[in-house]
């Protein structure tokens, strides 16, 4: 699986909520596991593991049932939610490129009897996946319901760079990210939430930032450049909170 394949998947992926409950072939799962074993973390200091669950191993508040689930367990430390989104979005794009349906499940967790802790790591988030009778891909980007670029960015000349980021999925399509700075150093911030919204979306919106950051990483790579990250806090627009800075340089 190449970065170009994952990049191209951004412009076609859909969240699928209806599945054929037949299990996938063993070799399909093995190929997925091979890909997962080489996923790239946002923060290499954070320990994490993936786990695979079946249809009876998950409790979901939403009526979405799938034959397979992939879960991310993580060490609970700074940036672990962004790191989780960054990692699992790689899997989401892999599944889309391989004509498999998937969906982020923010309201699902392992069912009773399935550990919430694994090797000292805490369950964070999961994706459902499998086959479906629905169209897996969008025909074109006009089918995405997303904010316009000026609503999420003040970076001059970043239309091409940030278009893949604009298309990133987020919890309830909240799209709370904002990008400021310039084409060499982008500051990524997240919209501050009121107390009520923070209880509902606070965790997921940090995972969402990680998803968007992986799309940005692919976009930078597509331009033949390299993205590196700094988590030292810096100034952000009013009403937002700092998440990370992305330095973009040539190879």
């Amino acid at each position: 699986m190449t970065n170009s394949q994952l990049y191209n998947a951004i412009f076609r992926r859909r969240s699928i909520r209806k599945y054929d409950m037949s299990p996938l072939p063993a070799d399909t799962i093995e190929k997925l596991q091979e890909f997962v074993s080489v996923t790239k973390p946002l923060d290499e200091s954070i320990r994490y593991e993936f786990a695979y669950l079946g249809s009876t191993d998950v409790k979901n508040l939403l009526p979405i049932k799938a034959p397979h689930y992939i879960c991310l367990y993580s060490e609970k430390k700074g940036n672990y939610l962004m790191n989780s989104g960054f990692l699992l979005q790689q899997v989401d794009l892999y599944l889309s490129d391989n004509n498999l349906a998937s969906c982020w499940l923010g309201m699902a967790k392992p069912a009773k009897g399935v550990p919430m802790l694994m090797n000292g790591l805490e369950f964070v988030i999961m994706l459902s996946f499998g086959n479906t009778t629905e169209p897996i891909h969008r025909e074109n980007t006009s089918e995405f319901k997303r904010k316009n670029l000026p609503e999420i960015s003040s970076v001059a000349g970043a239309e091409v760079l940030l278009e893949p980021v604009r298309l990133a999925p987020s919890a309830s399509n909240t799209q709370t990210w904002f990008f400021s700075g310039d084409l060499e150093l982008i500051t990524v911030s997240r919209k501050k939430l009121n107390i009520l919204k923070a209880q509902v979306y606070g965790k997921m919106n940090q995972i969402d930032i990680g998803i968007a950051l992986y799309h940005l990483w692919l976009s930078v790579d597509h331009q033949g450049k390299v993205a590196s990250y700094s988590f030292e806090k810096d100034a952000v627009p009013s009403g937002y909170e700092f998440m990370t800075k992305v330095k973009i340089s040539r190879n």
Side-chain angles (χ1 to χ4, degrees):
M1 175 65 64
T2 66
N3 291 341
S4 292
Q5 288 173 283
L6 296 173
Y7 174 84
N8 291 331
I10 290 173
F11 303 92
R12 302 192 302 152
R13 68 159 296 283
R14 292 178 66 230
S15 296
I16 304 295
R17 296 171 175 82
K18 294 182 180 179
Y19 295 87
D20 175 348
M21 293 302 293
S22 302
L24 293 171
D27 65 326
T28 299
I29 300 297
E30 289 171 6
K31 289 177 181 177
L32 170 62
Q33 291 172 331
E34 289 175 8
F35 173 79
V36 165
S37 70
V38 294
T39 48
K40 171 186 173 63
L42 174 67
D43 186 335
E44 294 184 356
S45 73
I46 300 173
R47 293 191 304 114
Y48 64 90
E49 290 185 24
F50 291 94
Y52 300 85
L53 300 180
S55 58
T56 62
D57 299 325
V58 170
K59 181 179 180 181
N60 190 5
L61 295 179
L62 298 176
I64 300 174
K65 296 186 182 297
H68 301 282
Y69 302 85
I70 180 168
C71 302
L72 189 109
Y73 287 74
S74 175
E75 181 182 8
K76 195 172 181 180
K77 59 185 288 189
N79 306 320
Y80 83 100
L81 293 173
M82 284 195 293
N83 194 57
S84 298
F86 192 90
L87 285 162
L88 208 49
Q89 184 58 11
Q90 295 170 57
V91 181
D92 186 31
L93 294 174
Y94 169 91
L95 292 167
S96 180
D97 187 69
N98 282 273
N99 297 311
L100 293 170
S102 63
C103 186
W104 284 86
L105 299 179
M107 301 181 74
K109 62 182 181 180
K112 186 176 181 180
V114 179
M116 289 290 287
L117 290 172
M118 182 173 65
N119 298 326
L121 307 177
E122 183 176 299
F123 167 75
V124 181
I125 189 70
M126 71 173 72
L127 285 175
S128 58
F129 69 97
N131 284 318
T132 182
T133 56
E134 295 186 354
I136 289 177
H137 299 129
R138 302 176 199 258
E139 293 295 325
N140 55 66
T141 56
S142 66
E143 295 180 18
F144 286 86
K145 295 181 180 179
R146 299 289 190 269
K147 293 177 180 178
N148 295 321
L149 191 58
E151 297 178 85
I152 63 167
S153 171
S154 60
V155 182
E159 291 80 7
V160 174
L161 178 67
L162 292 181
E163 177 62 7
V165 186
R166 188 183 72 84
L167 300 177
S170 58
S172 300
N173 206 22
T174 44
Q175 305 167 63
T176 58
W177 42 66
F178 193 82
F179 304 88
S180 55
D182 56 45
L183 289 173
E184 294 182 349
L185 187 61
I186 295 177
T187 297
V188 183
S189 53
R190 178 173 65 109
K191 189 174 182 179
K192 291 181 179 178
L193 303 175
N194 61 39
I195 295 176
L196 182 60
K197 286 187 176 181
Q199 290 178 338
V200 178
Y201 294 114
K203 172 185 172 182
M204 282 303 304
N205 284 167
Q206 293 180 69
I207 292 173
D208 295 341
I209 295 292
I211 295 171
L213 286 174
Y214 185 66
H215 281 209
L216 178 57
W217 186 90
L218 282 176
S219 187
V220 170
D221 179 77
H222 187 72
Q223 293 190 2
K225 299 179 181 179
V226 176
S228 56
Y229 305 91
S230 169
F231 301 104
E232 292 184 15
K233 290 193 174 182
D234 204 346
V236 296
S238 177
Y240 288 81
E241 57 184 299
F242 175 86
M243 300 303 291
T244 188
K245 286 188 291 188
V246 185
K247 182 179 179 181
I248 299 172
S249 55
R250 297 190 179 278
N251 279 322

